[in-house]
Amino acid sequence: MIPIHPRIDRLQPYVAGIRPEEGTAAIKLNQNESPYPASPKVAETFGRLRPELLLREYPDSGCLRIREALSALHGIPVSMLLCGNGSSELITLLYKSFLCDGDTVAIPDPTFGLYATVAEMAGIRVDIVPTGEDFRIDTMKLLESDPQAVIIANPNAPTGLCLQAAQIERLLQSYRGLVVVDEAYVDFAPEGTSVLGLVDRYDNLLVLRTFSKAYALSGSRIGFAAGNERLIQAMGKGRETFSVNAVAQLAAEAALSDQDYMRTTVERIAMTRQQFCESLERTGWNVLPSVTNFVLASPPVGGRTAKELYERLLSEHIYVRYFDTPRLADKLRISIGTDVEMQVVLDSLARAD
Ligand SMILES: *Cc1c(COP(=O)(O)O)cnc(C)c1O
């Protein structure tokens, strides 16, 4: 028998939101995807493509056109940007590049499950630091185990809450280890949330972004990291050369060129979220004040449990997320879809009483 590497053998794999069976009509609100298509410029670009050309050649391994566009948009030099196969690849890469066997990474709880899974695979210890009663992250508490790195999703998932950039800057002023800020949902958050503008002032700051959420390109798998040149170069060395495929690069470039469209969909989603939250609260739900494209909410005490409601929604082909962990077992995480989709959810929940 071939021995399985012990780290893989005992690994609890990351569980992504389940996908409806091909061809079934479902309302999919379990992976925080956009309910709206990417900018029409993406479809226009694809319409002009000659697949035989696009697919015959290797893509640009350095993703230079996208980095140039990102550089112009965010005012960050190209040399401080690196693209990856989704921010997921960049998370794997940052462990490989900056942490050694037995080093510790501190993460809040709850947060994005992938951080712990990938760390365990890389032989890195994970210090799980509970958030407060109100699920807010105390950044200084993350430092108590003297970790080599901390990762903060800001806004955080699955809570939907955010820290202000100034709170993260205070952490940067007192900590010399690696600070990773995953800004997957930052386009939905208020101004003053992002720390992208701080990457040239702190050489231990790495910011992750993705095209999966606000740009509606989950399927194309592309994200980017911004940080000090030394960090970016190190991650670039360890990266699989062609990890960002040609189709993803074209899609991202087109989506990036249409900021108006992105902003419009983000605003529409925020409006739907606000109405959805108000409706839930009117029926006795407790909803965390989300600044993202999803909400974390507990059903009224004494009625059906979160788990029962999860299963009931699923039986009606409505997919939301249920996490069977101590802090989250009484809650559902529901991505914000279209107004019509959210009304279907509310109707189904009303019938469940
Ligand atoms: C969705 C999400 C991502 C994006 O991952 P990709 O690999 O870029 O699709 C990253 N971080 C968090 C916290 C997320 O929720």
Side-chain angles (χ1 to χ4, degrees):
M1 271 217 301
I2 306 292
I4 307 290
H5 193 296
R7 267 184 217 147
I8 297 293
D9 205 28
R10 61 169 185 259
L11 186 71
Q12 296 283 337
Y14 173 71
V15 184
I18 51 175
R19 292 174 51 80
E21 232 174 89
E22 208 68 53
T24 55
I27 296 184
K28 191 167 176 308
L29 306 173
N30 65 345
Q31 287 186 303
N32 302 340
E33 294 146 327
S34 177
Y36 304 109
S39 157
K41 293 204 189 311
V42 175
E44 279 165 33
T45 300
F46 284 177
R48 280 199 305 271
L49 285 178
R50 305 205 357 242
E52 68 284 4
L53 250 183
L54 174 71
L55 300 178
R56 185 176 57 79
E57 291 184 354
Y58 281 104
D60 169 20
S61 72
C63 304
L64 190 59
R65 290 176 62 101
I66 298 158
R67 283 160 60 225
E68 281 171 353
L70 289 169
S71 172
L73 180 66
H74 297 299
I76 296 172
V78 167
S79 57
M80 296 177 76
L81 298 165
L82 175 76
C83 293
N85 187 261
S87 33
S88 310
E89 181 191 24
L90 299 166
I91 293 163
T92 309
L93 256 179
L94 73 92
Y95 287 138
K96 275 205 266 187
S97 310
F98 308 118
L99 297 176
C100 301
D101 261 23
D103 279 356
T104 301
V105 62
I107 57 173
D109 178 60
T111 193
F112 189 37
L114 199 66
Y115 305 145
T117 308
V118 179
E120 277 156 31
M121 205 149 48
I124 291 152
R125 280 205 290 254
V126 184
D127 181 35
I128 294 175
V129 182
T131 52
E133 277 293 292
D134 55 0
F135 288 91
R136 302 262 170 204
I137 296 171
D138 177 345
T139 52
M140 293 305 161
K141 253 183 104 177
L142 291 170
L143 306 184
E144 282 174 5
S145 63
D146 206 12
Q148 280 70 32
V150 303
I151 306 186
I152 299 170
N154 195 41
N156 195 15
T159 63
L161 305 176
C162 71
L163 295 165
Q164 289 175 346
Q167 292 171 284
I168 295 177
E169 186 161 19
R170 274 200 290 284
L171 172 74
L172 285 161
Q173 283 162 350
S174 59
Y175 177 61
R176 291 308 305 150
L178 179 66
V179 176
V180 180
V181 182
D182 179 350
E183 298 191 337
Y185 300 101
V186 83
D187 294 304
F188 299 96
E191 255 181 73
T193 303
S194 176
V195 290
L196 201 55
L198 298 182
V199 286
D200 57 0
R201 256 181 280 163
Y202 296 93
D203 61 8
N204 57 333
L205 170 64
L206 201 61
V207 179
L208 305 181
R209 294 262 187 120
T210 180
F211 286 90
S212 295
K213 308 284 158 58
Y215 288 104
L217 291 176
S218 299
S220 73
R221 313 303 309 127
I222 176 165
F224 69 93
N228 176 269
E229 232 168 83
R230 236 185 101 247
L231 302 186
I232 290 298
Q233 268 179 16
M235 285 173 74
K237 269 207 259 180
R239 186 180 144 250
E240 197 267 298
T241 316
F242 299 110
S243 65
V244 185
N245 71 68
V247 177
Q249 292 193 33
L250 285 170
E253 197 186 338
L256 210 51
S257 76
D258 199 351
Q259 289 296 304
D260 286 350
Y261 179 89
M262 188 272 276
R263 295 254 60 96
T264 305
T265 46
V266 161
E267 277 161 30
R268 190 177 306 168
I269 289 165
M271 264 163 50
T272 307
R273 181 190 69 217
Q274 195 184 332
Q275 283 166 4
F276 181 67
C277 288
E278 284 166 13
S279 301
L280 282 181
E281 280 168 346
R282 267 198 301 276
T283 52
W285 285 64
N286 194 320
V287 189
L288 285 187
S290 167
V291 297
T292 62
N293 65 338
F294 59 86
V295 296
L296 187 66
S298 341
V301 184
R304 300 211 182 260
T305 64
K307 188 152 195 250
E308 285 166 350
L309 291 171
Y310 166 77
E311 275 154 11
R312 183 195 159 85
L313 290 170
L314 192 60
S315 74
E316 298 185 353
H317 307 288
I318 301 168
Y319 290 66
V320 301
R321 199 76 204 255
Y322 174 71
F323 298 98
D324 201 356
T325 63
R327 297 289 302 273
L328 300 173
D330 64 340
K331 299 178 167 46
L332 295 178
R333 192 199 69 190
I334 307 174
S335 310
I336 301 301
T338 61
D339 287 329
V340 170
E341 287 174 326
M342 300 328 279
Q343 193 55 52
V344 175
V345 174
L346 291 168
D347 292 346
S348 172
L349 291 172
R351 283 197 308 276
D353 289 335

